[in-house]
PDB file of all heavy atoms in Angstrom:
ATOM      1  N   LEU A   1       0.843  -1.205   0.000  1.00  0.00           N
ATOM      2  CA  LEU A   1       0.000   0.000   0.000  1.00  0.00           C
ATOM      3  C   LEU A   1       0.876   1.252   0.000  1.00  0.00           C
ATOM      4  O   LEU A   1       0.619   2.211  -0.732  1.00  0.00           O
ATOM      5  CB  LEU A   1      -0.919   0.012   1.221  1.00  0.00           C
ATOM      6  CG  LEU A   1      -2.012  -1.043   1.310  1.00  0.00           C
ATOM      7  CD1 LEU A   1      -2.769  -0.884   2.626  1.00  0.00           C
ATOM      8  CD2 LEU A   1      -2.976  -0.956   0.135  1.00  0.00           C
ATOM      9  N   ALA A   2       1.915   1.231   0.856  1.00  0.00           N
ATOM     10  CA  ALA A   2       2.806   2.381   0.936  1.00  0.00           C
ATOM     11  C   ALA A   2       3.654   2.523  -0.320  1.00  0.00           C
ATOM     12  O   ALA A   2       4.090   3.628  -0.664  1.00  0.00           O
ATOM     13  CB  ALA A   2       3.694   2.263   2.168  1.00  0.00           C
ATOM     14  N   ARG A   3       3.894   1.412  -0.996  1.00  0.00           N
ATOM     15  CA  ARG A   3       4.649   1.461  -2.253  1.00  0.00           C
ATOM     16  C   ARG A   3       3.806   2.061  -3.375  1.00  0.00           C
ATOM     17  O   ARG A   3       4.318   2.816  -4.213  1.00  0.00           O
ATOM     18  CB  ARG A   3       5.089   0.041  -2.641  1.00  0.00           C
ATOM     19  CG  ARG A   3       5.887  -0.067  -3.927  1.00  0.00           C
ATOM     20  CD  ARG A   3       5.922  -1.493  -4.426  1.00  0.00           C
ATOM     21  NE  ARG A   3       4.587  -1.939  -4.867  1.00  0.00           N
ATOM     22  CZ  ARG A   3       4.293  -3.203  -5.157  1.00  0.00           C
ATOM     23  NH1 ARG A   3       5.203  -4.154  -5.008  1.00  0.00           N
ATOM     24  NH2 ARG A   3       3.065  -3.510  -5.555  1.00  0.00           N
ATOM     25  N   ASP A   4       2.526   1.744  -3.385  1.00  0.00           N
ATOM     26  CA  ASP A   4       1.674   2.094  -4.525  1.00  0.00           C
ATOM     27  C   ASP A   4       0.864   3.376  -4.340  1.00  0.00           C
ATOM     28  O   ASP A   4       0.330   3.904  -5.315  1.00  0.00           O
ATOM     29  CB  ASP A   4       0.712   0.939  -4.817  1.00  0.00           C
ATOM     30  CG  ASP A   4       1.447  -0.336  -5.218  1.00  0.00           C
ATOM     31  OD1 ASP A   4       2.604  -0.242  -5.656  1.00  0.00           O
ATOM     32  OD2 ASP A   4       0.844  -1.427  -5.084  1.00  0.00           O
ATOM     33  N   PHE A   5       0.755   3.848  -3.089  1.00  0.00           N
ATOM     34  CA  PHE A   5      -0.063   5.035  -2.816  1.00  0.00           C
ATOM     35  C   PHE A   5       0.681   5.965  -1.867  1.00  0.00           C
ATOM     36  O   PHE A   5       1.540   5.522  -1.093  1.00  0.00           O
ATOM     37  CB  PHE A   5      -1.402   4.639  -2.188  1.00  0.00           C
ATOM     38  CG  PHE A   5      -2.264   3.743  -3.041  1.00  0.00           C
ATOM     39  CD1 PHE A   5      -2.219   2.364  -2.884  1.00  0.00           C
ATOM     40  CD2 PHE A   5      -3.110   4.279  -4.000  1.00  0.00           C
ATOM     41  CE1 PHE A   5      -3.017   1.537  -3.667  1.00  0.00           C
ATOM     42  CE2 PHE A   5      -3.903   3.470  -4.786  1.00  0.00           C
ATOM     43  CZ  PHE A   5      -3.853   2.093  -4.619  1.00  0.00           C
ATOM     44  N   PRO A   6       0.341   7.249  -1.881  1.00  0.00           N
ATOM     45  CA  PRO A   6       0.947   8.191  -0.937  1.00  0.00           C
ATOM     46  C   PRO A   6       0.293   8.067   0.439  1.00  0.00           C
ATOM     47  O   PRO A   6      -0.529   8.903   0.836  1.00  0.00           O
ATOM     48  CB  PRO A   6       0.679   9.553  -1.582  1.00  0.00           C
ATOM     49  CG  PRO A   6      -0.596   9.355  -2.345  1.00  0.00           C
ATOM     50  CD  PRO A   6      -0.548   7.938  -2.853  1.00  0.00           C
ATOM     51  N   VAL A   7       0.639   6.996   1.138  1.00  0.00           N
ATOM     52  CA  VAL A   7       0.050   6.759   2.452  1.00  0.00           C
ATOM     53  C   VAL A   7       1.151   6.519   3.481  1.00  0.00           C
ATOM     54  O   VAL A   7       2.265   6.106   3.149  1.00  0.00           O
ATOM     55  CB  VAL A   7      -0.913   5.546   2.453  1.00  0.00           C
ATOM     56  CG1 VAL A   7      -2.081   5.771   1.522  1.00  0.00           C
ATOM     57  CG2 VAL A   7      -0.187   4.263   2.134  1.00  0.00           C
ATOM     58  N   GLN A   8       0.801   6.759   4.721  1.00  0.00           N
ATOM     59  CA  GLN A   8       1.655   6.459   5.856  1.00  0.00           C
ATOM     60  C   GLN A   8       1.034   5.283   6.604  1.00  0.00           C
ATOM     61  O   GLN A   8      -0.146   5.312   6.959  1.00  0.00           O
ATOM     62  CB  GLN A   8       1.742   7.673   6.793  1.00  0.00           C
ATOM     63  CG  GLN A   8       2.582   7.439   8.038  1.00  0.00           C
ATOM     64  CD  GLN A   8       4.059   7.351   7.743  1.00  0.00           C
ATOM     65  OE1 GLN A   8       4.563   8.074   6.894  1.00  0.00           O
ATOM     66  NE2 GLN A   8       4.749   6.459   8.424  1.00  0.00           N
ATOM     67  N   LEU A   9       1.811   4.223   6.799  1.00  0.00           N
ATOM     68  CA  LEU A   9       1.330   3.072   7.566  1.00  0.00           C
ATOM     69  C   LEU A   9       1.638   3.295   9.044  1.00  0.00           C
ATOM     70  O   LEU A   9       2.788   3.549   9.411  1.00  0.00           O
ATOM     71  CB  LEU A   9       1.998   1.785   7.090  1.00  0.00           C
ATOM     72  CG  LEU A   9       1.783   1.382   5.634  1.00  0.00           C
ATOM     73  CD1 LEU A   9       2.532   0.089   5.323  1.00  0.00           C
ATOM     74  CD2 LEU A   9       0.306   1.228   5.312  1.00  0.00           C
ATOM     75  N   ASP A  10       0.621   3.199   9.861  1.00  0.00           N
ATOM     76  CA  ASP A  10       0.775   3.348  11.302  1.00  0.00           C
ATOM     77  C   ASP A  10       0.604   1.971  11.941  1.00  0.00           C
ATOM     78  O   ASP A  10      -0.518   1.504  12.168  1.00  0.00           O
ATOM     79  CB  ASP A  10      -0.271   4.333  11.849  1.00  0.00           C
ATOM     80  CG  ASP A  10      -0.113   4.589  13.333  1.00  0.00           C
ATOM     81  OD1 ASP A  10       0.985   4.318  13.872  1.00  0.00           O
ATOM     82  OD2 ASP A  10      -1.072   5.076  13.961  1.00  0.00           O
ATOM     83  N   TRP A  11       1.739   1.297  12.206  1.00  0.00           N
ATOM     84  CA  TRP A  11       1.714  -0.062  12.737  1.00  0.00           C
ATOM     85  C   TRP A  11       1.489  -0.023  14.240  1.00  0.00           C
ATOM     86  O   TRP A  11       2.196   0.669  14.970  1.00  0.00           O
ATOM     87  CB  TRP A  11       3.033  -0.774  12.449  1.00  0.00           C
ATOM     88  CG  TRP A  11       3.296  -0.987  10.994  1.00  0.00           C
ATOM     89  CD1 TRP A  11       3.908  -0.138  10.126  1.00  0.00           C
ATOM     90  CD2 TRP A  11       2.936  -2.144  10.232  1.00  0.00           C
ATOM     91  NE1 TRP A  11       3.961  -0.684   8.867  1.00  0.00           N
ATOM     92  CE2 TRP A  11       3.374  -1.919   8.902  1.00  0.00           C
ATOM     93  CE3 TRP A  11       2.297  -3.346  10.541  1.00  0.00           C
ATOM     94  CZ2 TRP A  11       3.189  -2.852   7.885  1.00  0.00           C
ATOM     95  CZ3 TRP A  11       2.118  -4.282   9.532  1.00  0.00           C
ATOM     96  CH2 TRP A  11       2.557  -4.032   8.226  1.00  0.00           C
ATOM     97  N   LEU A  12       0.511  -0.801  14.707  1.00  0.00           N
ATOM     98  CA  LEU A  12       0.205  -0.865  16.126  1.00  0.00           C
ATOM     99  C   LEU A  12      -0.064  -2.318  16.535  1.00  0.00           C
ATOM    100  O   LEU A  12      -0.607  -3.101  15.749  1.00  0.00           O
ATOM    101  CB  LEU A  12      -1.024  -0.010  16.456  1.00  0.00           C
ATOM    102  CG  LEU A  12      -0.842   1.507  16.355  1.00  0.00           C
ATOM    103  CD1 LEU A  12      -2.188   2.202  16.509  1.00  0.00           C
ATOM    104  CD2 LEU A  12       0.144   2.014  17.398  1.00  0.00           C
ATOM    105  N   PRO A  13       0.307  -2.669  17.761  1.00  0.00           N
ATOM    106  CA  PRO A  13       0.032  -4.028  18.232  1.00  0.00           C
ATOM    107  C   PRO A  13      -1.366  -4.146  18.809  1.00  0.00           C
ATOM    108  O   PRO A  13      -1.902  -3.196  19.386  1.00  0.00           O
ATOM    109  CB  PRO A  13       1.085  -4.222  19.331  1.00  0.00           C
ATOM    110  CG  PRO A  13       1.288  -2.845  19.888  1.00  0.00           C
ATOM    111  CD  PRO A  13       1.097  -1.883  18.725  1.00  0.00           C
ATOM    112  N   TYR A  14      -1.949  -5.337  18.626  1.00  0.00           N
ATOM    113  CA  TYR A  14      -3.190  -5.660  19.314  1.00  0.00           C
ATOM    114  C   TYR A  14      -3.010  -7.056  19.908  1.00  0.00           C
ATOM    115  O   TYR A  14      -2.775  -8.028  19.182  1.00  0.00           O
ATOM    116  CB  TYR A  14      -4.394  -5.640  18.377  1.00  0.00           C
ATOM    117  CG  TYR A  14      -5.683  -5.960  19.109  1.00  0.00           C
ATOM    118  CD1 TYR A  14      -6.215  -5.054  20.021  1.00  0.00           C
ATOM    119  CD2 TYR A  14      -6.328  -7.179  18.931  1.00  0.00           C
ATOM    120  CE1 TYR A  14      -7.360  -5.346  20.729  1.00  0.00           C
ATOM    121  CE2 TYR A  14      -7.483  -7.484  19.635  1.00  0.00           C
ATOM    122  CZ  TYR A  14      -7.998  -6.561  20.544  1.00  0.00           C
ATOM    123  OH  TYR A  14      -9.135  -6.866  21.260  1.00  0.00           O
ATOM    124  N   ASP A  15      -3.084  -7.151  21.213  1.00  0.00           N
ATOM    125  CA  ASP A  15      -2.810  -8.391  21.941  1.00  0.00           C
ATOM    126  C   ASP A  15      -4.040  -9.291  21.923  1.00  0.00           C
ATOM    127  O   ASP A  15      -4.982  -9.084  22.681  1.00  0.00           O
ATOM    128  CB  ASP A  15      -2.392  -8.054  23.382  1.00  0.00           C
ATOM    129  CG  ASP A  15      -1.979  -9.285  24.164  1.00  0.00           C
ATOM    130  OD1 ASP A  15      -1.619 -10.304  23.537  1.00  0.00           O
ATOM    131  OD2 ASP A  15      -1.994  -9.220  25.412  1.00  0.00           O
ATOM    132  N   LEU A  16      -4.003 -10.285  21.047  1.00  0.00           N
ATOM    133  CA  LEU A  16      -5.134 -11.207  20.909  1.00  0.00           C
ATOM    134  C   LEU A  16      -5.248 -12.146  22.103  1.00  0.00           C
ATOM    135  O   LEU A  16      -4.246 -12.686  22.568  1.00  0.00           O
ATOM    136  CB  LEU A  16      -4.965 -12.068  19.651  1.00  0.00           C
ATOM    137  CG  LEU A  16      -5.139 -11.408  18.289  1.00  0.00           C
ATOM    138  CD1 LEU A  16      -4.734 -12.398  17.196  1.00  0.00           C
ATOM    139  CD2 LEU A  16      -6.572 -10.967  18.091  1.00  0.00           C
ATOM    140  N   ASP A  17      -6.449 -12.377  22.555  1.00  0.00           N
ATOM    141  CA  ASP A  17      -6.718 -13.408  23.561  1.00  0.00           C
ATOM    142  C   ASP A  17      -7.226 -14.634  22.806  1.00  0.00           C
ATOM    143  O   ASP A  17      -8.424 -14.894  22.727  1.00  0.00           O
ATOM    144  CB  ASP A  17      -7.749 -12.912  24.576  1.00  0.00           C
ATOM    145  CG  ASP A  17      -7.985 -13.917  25.695  1.00  0.00           C
ATOM    146  OD1 ASP A  17      -7.354 -14.997  25.676  1.00  0.00           O
ATOM    147  OD2 ASP A  17      -8.815 -13.627  26.571  1.00  0.00           O
ATOM    148  N   LEU A  18      -6.287 -15.390  22.221  1.00  0.00           N
ATOM    149  CA  LEU A  18      -6.672 -16.519  21.374  1.00  0.00           C
ATOM    150  C   LEU A  18      -7.425 -17.592  22.137  1.00  0.00           C
ATOM    151  O   LEU A  18      -8.345 -18.218  21.610  1.00  0.00           O
ATOM    152  CB  LEU A  18      -5.431 -17.122  20.711  1.00  0.00           C
ATOM    153  CG  LEU A  18      -4.744 -16.270  19.647  1.00  0.00           C
ATOM    154  CD1 LEU A  18      -3.503 -16.984  19.123  1.00  0.00           C
ATOM    155  CD2 LEU A  18      -5.698 -15.967  18.502  1.00  0.00           C
ATOM    156  N   ALA A  19      -7.019 -17.824  23.379  1.00  0.00           N
ATOM    157  CA  ALA A  19      -7.674 -18.878  24.154  1.00  0.00           C
ATOM    158  C   ALA A  19      -9.147 -18.576  24.383  1.00  0.00           C
ATOM    159  O   ALA A  19      -9.952 -19.485  24.580  1.00  0.00           O
ATOM    160  CB  ALA A  19      -6.960 -19.065  25.494  1.00  0.00           C
ATOM    161  N   ASP A  20      -9.510 -17.303  24.321  1.00  0.00           N
ATOM    162  CA  ASP A  20     -10.888 -16.910  24.588  1.00  0.00           C
ATOM    163  C   ASP A  20     -11.843 -17.449  23.521  1.00  0.00           C
ATOM    164  O   ASP A  20     -12.985 -17.803  23.827  1.00  0.00           O
ATOM    165  CB  ASP A  20     -10.981 -15.381  24.661  1.00  0.00           C
ATOM    166  CG  ASP A  20     -12.364 -14.902  25.042  1.00  0.00           C
ATOM    167  OD1 ASP A  20     -12.910 -15.408  26.042  1.00  0.00           O
ATOM    168  OD2 ASP A  20     -12.905 -14.036  24.338  1.00  0.00           O
ATOM    169  N   PHE A  21     -11.370 -17.502  22.255  1.00  0.00           N
ATOM    170  CA  PHE A  21     -12.283 -17.959  21.209  1.00  0.00           C
ATOM    171  C   PHE A  21     -11.788 -19.174  20.442  1.00  0.00           C
ATOM    172  O   PHE A  21     -12.546 -19.782  19.700  1.00  0.00           O
ATOM    173  CB  PHE A  21     -12.589 -16.811  20.223  1.00  0.00           C
ATOM    174  CG  PHE A  21     -11.418 -16.302  19.452  1.00  0.00           C
ATOM    175  CD1 PHE A  21     -11.151 -16.764  18.179  1.00  0.00           C
ATOM    176  CD2 PHE A  21     -10.597 -15.337  19.990  1.00  0.00           C
ATOM    177  CE1 PHE A  21     -10.064 -16.280  17.469  1.00  0.00           C
ATOM    178  CE2 PHE A  21      -9.514 -14.843  19.281  1.00  0.00           C
ATOM    179  CZ  PHE A  21      -9.251 -15.312  18.016  1.00  0.00           C
ATOM    180  N   MET A  22     -10.508 -19.563  20.642  1.00  0.00           N
ATOM    181  CA  MET A  22      -9.980 -20.741  19.957  1.00  0.00           C
ATOM    182  C   MET A  22      -9.641 -21.874  20.921  1.00  0.00           C
ATOM    183  O   MET A  22      -9.207 -22.936  20.497  1.00  0.00           O
ATOM    184  CB  MET A  22      -8.722 -20.373  19.166  1.00  0.00           C
ATOM    185  CG  MET A  22      -8.948 -19.335  18.084  1.00  0.00           C
ATOM    186  SD  MET A  22      -9.875 -19.976  16.681  1.00  0.00           S
ATOM    187  CE  MET A  22      -8.560 -20.709  15.719  1.00  0.00           C
ATOM    188  N   GLY A  23      -9.825 -21.631  22.227  1.00  0.00           N
ATOM    189  CA  GLY A  23      -9.395 -22.623  23.194  1.00  0.00           C
ATOM    190  C   GLY A  23      -7.879 -22.627  23.295  1.00  0.00           C
ATOM    191  O   GLY A  23      -7.186 -21.866  22.628  1.00  0.00           O
ATOM    192  N   SER A  24      -7.343 -23.503  24.131  1.00  0.00           N
ATOM    193  CA  SER A  24      -5.890 -23.578  24.282  1.00  0.00           C
ATOM    194  C   SER A  24      -5.449 -25.036  24.212  1.00  0.00           C
ATOM    195  O   SER A  24      -6.212 -25.958  24.512  1.00  0.00           O
ATOM    196  CB  SER A  24      -5.439 -22.962  25.612  1.00  0.00           C
ATOM    197  OG  SER A  24      -5.982 -23.688  26.711  1.00  0.00           O
ATOM    198  N   ALA A  25      -4.194 -25.221  23.804  1.00  0.00           N
ATOM    199  CA  ALA A  25      -3.626 -26.554  23.728  1.00  0.00           C
ATOM    200  C   ALA A  25      -2.112 -26.435  23.699  1.00  0.00           C
ATOM    201  O   ALA A  25      -1.560 -25.397  23.342  1.00  0.00           O
ATOM    202  CB  ALA A  25      -4.116 -27.291  22.480  1.00  0.00           C
ATOM    203  N   ARG A  26      -1.449 -27.538  24.054  1.00  0.00           N
ATOM    204  CA  ARG A  26       0.009 -27.610  23.968  1.00  0.00           C
ATOM    205  C   ARG A  26       0.371 -28.953  23.368  1.00  0.00           C
ATOM    206  O   ARG A  26      -0.154 -29.992  23.781  1.00  0.00           O
ATOM    207  CB  ARG A  26       0.631 -27.440  25.359  1.00  0.00           C
ATOM    208  CG  ARG A  26       2.151 -27.322  25.365  1.00  0.00           C
ATOM    209  CD  ARG A  26       2.651 -26.817  26.722  1.00  0.00           C
ATOM    210  NE  ARG A  26       2.324 -27.763  27.775  1.00  0.00           N
ATOM    211  CZ  ARG A  26       3.121 -28.790  28.133  1.00  0.00           C
ATOM    212  NH1 ARG A  26       4.261 -29.016  27.502  1.00  0.00           N
ATOM    213  NH2 ARG A  26       2.749 -29.593  29.107  1.00  0.00           N
ATOM    214  N   VAL A  27       1.250 -28.917  22.354  1.00  0.00           N
ATOM    215  CA  VAL A  27       1.653 -30.148  21.676  1.00  0.00           C
ATOM    216  C   VAL A  27       3.168 -30.246  21.676  1.00  0.00           C
ATOM    217  O   VAL A  27       3.884 -29.259  21.877  1.00  0.00           O
ATOM    218  CB  VAL A  27       1.126 -30.187  20.222  1.00  0.00           C
ATOM    219  CG1 VAL A  27      -0.388 -30.095  20.194  1.00  0.00           C
ATOM    220  CG2 VAL A  27       1.743 -29.075  19.383  1.00  0.00           C
ATOM    221  N   ASP A  28       3.682 -31.486  21.424  1.00  0.00           N
ATOM    222  CA  ASP A  28       5.131 -31.651  21.339  1.00  0.00           C
ATOM    223  C   ASP A  28       5.592 -31.507  19.896  1.00  0.00           C
ATOM    224  O   ASP A  28       4.805 -31.143  19.004  1.00  0.00           O
ATOM    225  CB  ASP A  28       5.567 -33.000  21.939  1.00  0.00           C
ATOM    226  CG  ASP A  28       4.979 -34.200  21.201  1.00  0.00           C
ATOM    227  OD1 ASP A  28       4.534 -34.042  20.031  1.00  0.00           O
ATOM    228  OD2 ASP A  28       4.969 -35.302  21.770  1.00  0.00           O
ATOM    229  N   ASP A  29       6.873 -31.798  19.636  1.00  0.00           N
ATOM    230  CA  ASP A  29       7.434 -31.606  18.294  1.00  0.00           C
ATOM    231  C   ASP A  29       6.806 -32.512  17.246  1.00  0.00           C
ATOM    232  O   ASP A  29       6.864 -32.224  16.050  1.00  0.00           O
ATOM    233  CB  ASP A  29       8.947 -31.845  18.312  1.00  0.00           C
ATOM    234  CG  ASP A  29       9.689 -30.734  19.045  1.00  0.00           C
ATOM    235  OD1 ASP A  29       9.123 -29.631  19.145  1.00  0.00           O
ATOM    236  OD2 ASP A  29      10.815 -30.974  19.514  1.00  0.00           O
ATOM    237  N   THR A  30       6.190 -33.599  17.681  1.00  0.00           N
ATOM    238  CA  THR A  30       5.570 -34.535  16.733  1.00  0.00           C
ATOM    239  C   THR A  30       4.104 -34.204  16.485  1.00  0.00           C
ATOM    240  O   THR A  30       3.455 -34.848  15.654  1.00  0.00           O
ATOM    241  CB  THR A  30       5.682 -35.985  17.245  1.00  0.00           C
ATOM    242  OG1 THR A  30       4.852 -36.139  18.413  1.00  0.00           O
ATOM    243  CG2 THR A  30       7.126 -36.344  17.584  1.00  0.00           C
ATOM    244  N   GLY A  31       3.575 -33.235  17.223  1.00  0.00           N
ATOM    245  CA  GLY A  31       2.165 -32.895  17.092  1.00  0.00           C
ATOM    246  C   GLY A  31       1.281 -33.604  18.093  1.00  0.00           C
ATOM    247  O   GLY A  31       0.055 -33.430  18.082  1.00  0.00           O
ATOM    248  N   ARG A  32       1.871 -34.429  18.989  1.00  0.00           N
ATOM    249  CA  ARG A  32       1.087 -35.131  19.999  1.00  0.00           C
ATOM    250  C   ARG A  32       0.574 -34.139  21.027  1.00  0.00           C
ATOM    251  O   ARG A  32       1.320 -33.312  21.534  1.00  0.00           O
ATOM    252  CB  ARG A  32       1.940 -36.200  20.679  1.00  0.00           C
ATOM    253  CG  ARG A  32       1.195 -37.041  21.721  1.00  0.00           C
ATOM    254  CD  ARG A  32       2.061 -38.195  22.180  1.00  0.00           C
ATOM    255  NE  ARG A  32       3.277 -37.732  22.804  1.00  0.00           N
ATOM    256  CZ  ARG A  32       3.416 -37.513  24.117  1.00  0.00           C
ATOM    257  NH1 ARG A  32       2.395 -37.719  24.941  1.00  0.00           N
ATOM    258  NH2 ARG A  32       4.571 -37.097  24.613  1.00  0.00           N
ATOM    259  N   VAL A  33      -0.719 -34.209  21.327  1.00  0.00           N
ATOM    260  CA  VAL A  33      -1.333 -33.268  22.258  1.00  0.00           C
ATOM    261  C   VAL A  33      -0.925 -33.613  23.682  1.00  0.00           C
ATOM    262  O   VAL A  33      -1.154 -34.726  24.162  1.00  0.00           O
ATOM    263  CB  VAL A  33      -2.872 -33.288  22.122  1.00  0.00           C
ATOM    264  CG1 VAL A  33      -3.493 -32.355  23.151  1.00  0.00           C
ATOM    265  CG2 VAL A  33      -3.284 -32.884  20.713  1.00  0.00           C
ATOM    266  N   LEU A  34      -0.333 -32.651  24.373  1.00  0.00           N
ATOM    267  CA  LEU A  34       0.076 -32.842  25.756  1.00  0.00           C
ATOM    268  C   LEU A  34      -1.007 -32.389  26.718  1.00  0.00           C
ATOM    269  O   LEU A  34      -1.199 -32.987  27.776  1.00  0.00           O
ATOM    270  CB  LEU A  34       1.373 -32.077  26.026  1.00  0.00           C
ATOM    271  CG  LEU A  34       2.570 -32.457  25.136  1.00  0.00           C
ATOM    272  CD1 LEU A  34       3.766 -31.572  25.462  1.00  0.00           C
ATOM    273  CD2 LEU A  34       2.923 -33.930  25.308  1.00  0.00           C
TER     274      LEU A  34
END
């Protein structure tokens, strides 16, 4: 967008609470659910 148009990109962080809507899980290197 900044390459193709005269715009300024204002980058900001937004801290997602993924566990709130996707649940949570932990897996090992093989993909086995711990």
Side-chain angles (χ1 to χ4, degrees):
L1 293 178
R3 180 197 68 191
D4 297 339
F5 299 94
V7 298
Q8 178 71 38
L9 299 179
D10 183 19
W11 295 88
L12 290 172
Y14 181 70
D15 185 22
L16 289 172
D17 184 0
L18 291 178
D20 184 50
F21 64 96
M22 299 288 275
S24 63
R26 187 166 63 89
V27 301
D28 62 19
D29 289 338
T30 68
R32 182 171 61 92
V33 177
L34 302 177

